[in-house]
Amino acid sequence: MIKKVVYKTALALAVTTVSTHLMANGVAINEQSASGMGTGFAGRSSSAQDASTVFGNPAGMSKLDRAQISGGFAVISANTDISNAQGSTSGTNDGDMVPVAAVPFGYYVRPLNDDWHFGLGVYVPFGVISDYEDSFQGRYHGLESEVQVVTLQPTLSYRINDRVSIGFGPTINRIEGTLTSAVPVGLSDANVDIQGDDIGYGFNAGILVDLSERVALGVTYHSSVDYTLEGRTRVSGFPAQLPVNGSYDATLDVTTPESVDVSLTYAHDERWTLYAGTTWTRWSQFDQLIIENENSPALFGTVEEELNWSDTWAFAFGAAYQITPEVVLRTGLAFDRSPTTDADRTVRIPVGNRKVLSLGAGWEATDNVTVDVAYAYLREDQASVSYTDYSADYRNSAHGLSTQVTYSY
């Protein structure tokens, strides 16, 4: 009976991270645009700077008077300091578990007539990659995690009148992930390795209103997306007297959260433009996970895990200064709360409340080509993880660099 409980718990911890890692504040990807990154993504739903408005606000396509192709990528380098680690087993706490990662994006927008625009976007809304050392002291709660969602979004916008536009786009989303954990077995460790994938469907919708010649209001809704990950759970390293080694079919229902972005753009004069925005994310809908293990030994079958998240608000403020007709400078400051607390935080999502400072620039190289670059520095408050057998304090920071080229014709 003891062996059954130990193994079932270990499997639950490993499988549950498919969801917790995706739903964490620290792994929701914002880098879908270098032009938006420059202002800390303030005004993302109220300023249609280029074709990346397909994601920011589909209604913004109505602001583009020519066809555009826009694409680029962001490179993210993260660092984690682990301190005050304590545990019932020995191990290391290097904290160097996040490799440098690249996040690509691409968009296309084309006017169909004076009122209708068509757009297409490919981007990454959620993703994470981390890999602790094998000797990590908290290895029984997570080692390697690599999860990402890639979204394809065909989109239409319609200009209702000179001041109001609306936009809508269905999203086709593919999720895939690999997660590993160690399991204590006597004086050695066994291993649980999980892989799974699925395709889910949702939508993005937005409205853009010119309140005056200088002020624009944008609202964008990103729907939740339901997934049923199908894959396998591979178990190895258990002794022969506990016959659970092997590969088993597994399914896990996961829902990525819905969110609403509301922002304002204020054109103060020919040189200064100010931005402000807030994003509400519905984390509270994640109250329970149910994992089904098919064709498995009698030691485990259905595993249920309770979750405790709270809805969050993020705030961003930004500004742009037009130095010359061809060159614009940008800056932004964002504040983003974590939906999890010390009581529920895991080693796979050891994130706290964050602050982000960004700088950016745009250069209209020719009448048809614009180049945007942006840099962001992220720093989080200290966050603690606390298990019965392991506890530690985490402090996370990250540098992000993004570039984007837009061709209009």
Side-chain angles (χ1 to χ4, degrees), residues 31-34 37 71-76 101-106 372 374 401-405:
E31 288 73 17
Q32 291 89 18
S33 164
M37 184 176 174
F73 62 93
V75 177
I76 302 171
V103 182
F105 51 83
D372 292 285
L401 184 63
S402 183
T403 185
Q404 175 182 344
V405 177

Side-chain angles (χ1 to χ4, degrees), residues 2 89 107 124 164 229 277 316 357 362 365 368 374 387 389:
I2 294 178
T89 59
Y107 305 94
V124 180
V164 181
L229 278 79
L357 175 64
N368 297 327
Y387 303 95
D389 61 343

Side-chain angles (χ1 to χ4, degrees), residues 31 67 69 91 93 143 149-151 155 191 208 253 257 272 275 281 296 301 334 354 376 381 388 403:
E31 288 73 17
I69 298 174
N93 292 278
L143 277 175
V149 177
V150 177
T151 296
T155 308
N191 296 285
L208 182 59
D253 292 333
W272 284 100
Y275 309 92
T281 306
S296 61
R354 59 172 53 172
D381 295 342
T388 56
T403 185

Side-chain angles (χ1 to χ4, degrees), residues 1 24 26 135 146 170 231 276 279 288 297 337:
M1 185 65 176
S135 57
E146 185 172 357
T279 302
Q288 188 181 51
R337 293 191 62 83

Side-chain angles (χ1 to χ4, degrees), residues 289-364:
L289 291 175
I290 300 178
I291 304 102
E292 300 285 349
N293 299 291
E294 302 175 4
N295 304 318
S296 61
L299 290 177
F300 63 91
T302 300
V303 179
E304 297 183 6
E305 289 292 321
E306 297 294 329
L307 303 176
N308 296 290
W309 280 296
S310 300
D311 298 342
T312 61
W313 290 89
F315 301 92
F317 307 91
Y321 181 71
Q322 196 79 38
I323 297 179
T324 70
E326 294 80 22
V327 178
V328 60
L329 298 181
R330 306 182 179 106
T331 187
L333 182 63
F335 305 89
D336 195 359
R337 293 191 62 83
S338 170
T340 188
T341 65
D342 290 353
D344 301 298
R345 189 174 288 109
T346 76
V347 299
R348 293 190 188 268
I349 51 166
V351 293
N353 300 331
R354 59 172 53 172
K355 302 176 183 67
V356 183
L357 175 64
S358 62
L359 301 171
W363 174 42
E364 189 175 335

Side-chain angles (χ1 to χ4, degrees), residues 44-393:
R44 177 160 50 186
S45 63
S46 57
S47 57
Q49 301 185 70
D50 49 53
S52 64
T53 192
V54 169
F55 173 83
N57 186 346
M61 296 192 305
S62 294
K63 295 286 188 179
L64 305 180
D65 56 6
R66 294 192 291 170
Q68 280 192 1
I69 298 174
S70 186
F73 62 93
V75 177
I76 302 171
S77 176
N79 180 69
T80 298
D81 293 325
I82 301 176
S83 60
N84 302 319
Q86 300 181 39
S88 58
T89 59
S90 61
T92 58
N93 292 278
D94 292 346
D96 183 20
M97 77 283 191
V98 183
V100 175
V103 182
F105 51 83
Y107 305 94
Y108 169 74
V109 172
R110 183 177 185 84
L112 301 178
N113 54 42
D114 289 342
D115 297 326
W116 289 92
H117 282 61
F118 170 78
L120 186 67
V122 180
Y123 52 86
V124 180
F126 295 94
V128 66
I129 179 170
S130 63
D131 191 3
Y132 286 93
E133 67 273 18
D134 291 341
S135 57
F136 172 50
Q137 193 173 10
R139 60 191 177 276
Y140 303 138
H141 305 284
L143 277 175
E144 180 184 359
S145 308
E146 185 172 357
V147 181
Q148 73 172 0
V149 177
V150 177
T151 296
L152 175 66
Q153 180 188 325
T155 308
L156 285 174
S157 71
Y158 176 68
R159 189 200 315 269
I160 297 175
N161 55 46
D162 290 342
R163 291 184 177 272
V164 181
S165 298
I166 57 175
F168 175 86
T171 61
I172 305 165
N173 312 271
R174 186 177 191 275
I175 183 175
E176 60 180 350
T178 300
L179 300 146
T180 69
S181 292
V183 181
V185 182
L187 299 177
S188 61
D189 290 343
N191 296 285
V192 177
D193 184 318
I194 301 165
Q195 293 184 5
D197 60 74
D198 189 31
I199 294 177
Y201 304 92
F203 67 91
N204 292 345
I207 182 170
L208 182 59
V209 181
D210 290 330
L211 301 179
S212 70
E213 292 183 357
R214 293 187 176 185
V215 180
L217 169 68
V219 180
T220 305
Y221 175 77
H222 299 274
S223 77
S224 59
V225 179
D226 296 328
Y227 302 94
T228 298
L229 278 79
E230 297 183 354
R232 59 105 179 112
T233 298
R234 180 173 296 158
V235 181
S236 61
F238 280 87
Q241 59 267 33
L242 190 60
V244 297
N245 293 327
S247 184
Y248 309 105
D249 294 335
T251 60
L252 170 63
D253 292 333
V254 174
T255 302
T256 52
E258 62 182 339
S259 65
V260 179
D261 185 279
V262 181
S263 65
L264 287 169
T265 297
Y266 170 58
H268 179 68
D269 54 32
E270 293 183 354
R271 292 188 180 274
W272 284 100
T273 303
L274 306 179
Y275 309 92
T278 182
T279 302
W280 174 79
T281 306
R282 192 183 177 191
W283 300 107
S284 60
Q285 67 192 90
F286 304 103
D287 57 348
Q288 188 181 51
L289 291 175
I290 300 178
I291 304 102
E292 300 285 349
N293 299 291
E294 302 175 4
N295 304 318
S296 61
L299 290 177
F300 63 91
T302 300
V303 179
E304 297 183 6
E305 289 292 321
E306 297 294 329
L307 303 176
N308 296 290
W309 280 296
S310 300
D311 298 342
T312 61
W313 290 89
F315 301 92
F317 307 91
Y321 181 71
Q322 196 79 38
I323 297 179
T324 70
E326 294 80 22
V327 178
V328 60
L329 298 181
R330 306 182 179 106
T331 187
L333 182 63
F335 305 89
D336 195 359
R337 293 191 62 83
S338 170
T340 188
T341 65
D342 290 353
D344 301 298
R345 189 174 288 109
T346 76
V347 299
R348 293 190 188 268
I349 51 166
V351 293
N353 300 331
R354 59 172 53 172
K355 302 176 183 67
V356 183
L357 175 64
S358 62
L359 301 171
W363 174 42
E364 189 175 335
T366 70
D367 290 340
N368 297 327
V369 178
T370 300
V371 179
D372 292 285
V373 294
Y375 164 79
Y377 176 70
L378 177 152
R379 185 168 177 82
E380 294 182 353
D381 295 342
Q382 181 174 286
S384 300
V385 299
S386 181
Y387 303 95
T388 56
D389 61 343
Y390 178 75
S391 64
D393 296 329

